[in-house]
Amino acid sequence: MKILYFAWLKTKTGLGEEDVPQLPAGVTNVGQLIDWLAGRGGGFAEAFANRGLVRAAVNQDYAQPDTPIRAGDEIAFFPPVTGGVG
Amino acid sequence: MKILYFAWLKTKTGLGEEDVPQLPAGVTNVGQLIDWLAGRGGGFAEAFANRGLVRAAVNQDYAQPDTPIRAGDEIAFFPPVTGGVG
Amino acid sequence: MSVSVQREDFDVGLEYARFVAGRTDVGGVALFVGQVRAESGQVAAMTLEHYPGMTERQIDAIAAEARARWALDACRVIHRYGRLVPGDRIVLVMTAASHRQAALESCHFLIDWLKTKAPFWKYEESETGARWVEAKETDDQAAQRWRR
Amino acid sequence: MSVSVQREDFDVGLEYARFVAGRTDVGGVALFVGQVRAESGQVAAMTLEHYPGMTERQIDAIAAEARARWALDACRVIHRYGRLVPGDRIVLVMTAASHRQAALESCHFLIDWLKTKAPFWKYEESETGARWVEAKETDDQAAQRWRR
């Protein structure tokens, strides 16, 4: 499983990208993965402190907390998008 | 008074433009001028046969049958406009 | 605000480049280019007749109304007349604003109103003959929706 | 339908020329160009971060929806990323259709949806520091009005 972080989630976690070879125990969807990542503490706890500000994608499609994930997936976390035009 | 004709009004009257030095007797507005022009018969009667199809301008502003006219005015007659875009 | 009524073609890239040159206050530019369309090979050519003087006057008035209704940084209209064939450009409307909605809406407004207020008449040549095109009800409706 | 996500600038005139080259079925082309705007000297520069792969995928999906909803002849989107300063172009949306309403409405739809669906994040540098820009409620509203 590849996990990507964008914008201030990258700053807070200190990571642009990481590989998590296997699904952590008890993690079957996006919400559970967030719980697990926040449980690392430090910058990760901070990044996921306000979940209303975090959006997710699974395999490059927008996802919800209950979207299922599998070991081979590409998961991304980022703030709401802010486009480029006024 | 200068009178201009556009599109099929020009074709029917056979005129693009004419000078009428004085206001004809009894003509004080656009509607009365149309009556007077139609009274010439021939192509003029034909051009003004269906008044619902004729639009007018006085001094380059859209006008109505009751718009007043004066001897120095520029009066134009034309069909509803058909612009250039699809 | 700048209006041109001309026989010659215009260069969209050049017009855009001049329009935004040196500006950093613009957030969005909306452009609309109207072109002569071949309807299943029917229209061989068209000639746009206009009323010189009144055309510029009416387009100026429409552009002034757009500027009164939206916060625009700039506005440009070019309308051609004369004989045109399929693929030829007819009209360019360009609006610039801080915000995209103002640029897009005013551009739409201008082109809808040009169609019903600018004194142009279209003479179409096709395989079956030539005729003066009649005004469309739908154009009036498109323009009416901007009334308030 | 053609989508580019790139660091480089684009040439509006050249893009338009390529877009309509050899076409006689097009009646109207709508273009929107988004540019970096200096808000009373506040924004010195901005950096657009994006999610490579997902960006193209989402813009493709939005463009496909536009083509399903309007009778379009062609559609082109270019979106830049990287560091940009006031006056720089950010995005180009171009739609071509037989009828002006289809071109104008689909262009408006595309730019509203790009703002809320395409994964770009804006980092603004100003005199007082630098910050990640937060999403605006009004952009969601602008996009929502296209829902049906």
Side-chain angles (χ1 to χ4, degrees), chain C residues 105-118:
Chain C
E105 287 178 12
S106 59
C107 181
H108 203 154
F109 166 86
L110 282 164
I111 197 72
D112 278 351
W113 275 109
L114 277 176
K115 185 89 186 166
T116 56
K117 296 289 268 183

Side-chain angles (χ1 to χ4, degrees), chain C residues 55-106:
Chain C
T55 311
E56 290 83 350
R57 192 179 158 85
Q58 293 300 322
I59 300 178
D60 276 344
I62 299 164
E65 192 179 334
R67 293 190 71 126
R69 290 175 66 161
W70 287 278
L72 299 183
D73 294 319
C75 166
R76 171 101 173 104
V77 175
I78 306 178
H79 208 302
R80 295 178 69 191
Y81 60 88
R83 190 167 186 274
L84 302 164
V85 298
D88 279 355
R89 275 169 286 278
I90 307 167
V91 60
L92 171 69
V93 173
M94 208 162 33
T95 52
S98 295
H99 299 287
R100 70 183 188 285
Q101 305 294 0
L104 286 160
E105 287 178 12
S106 59

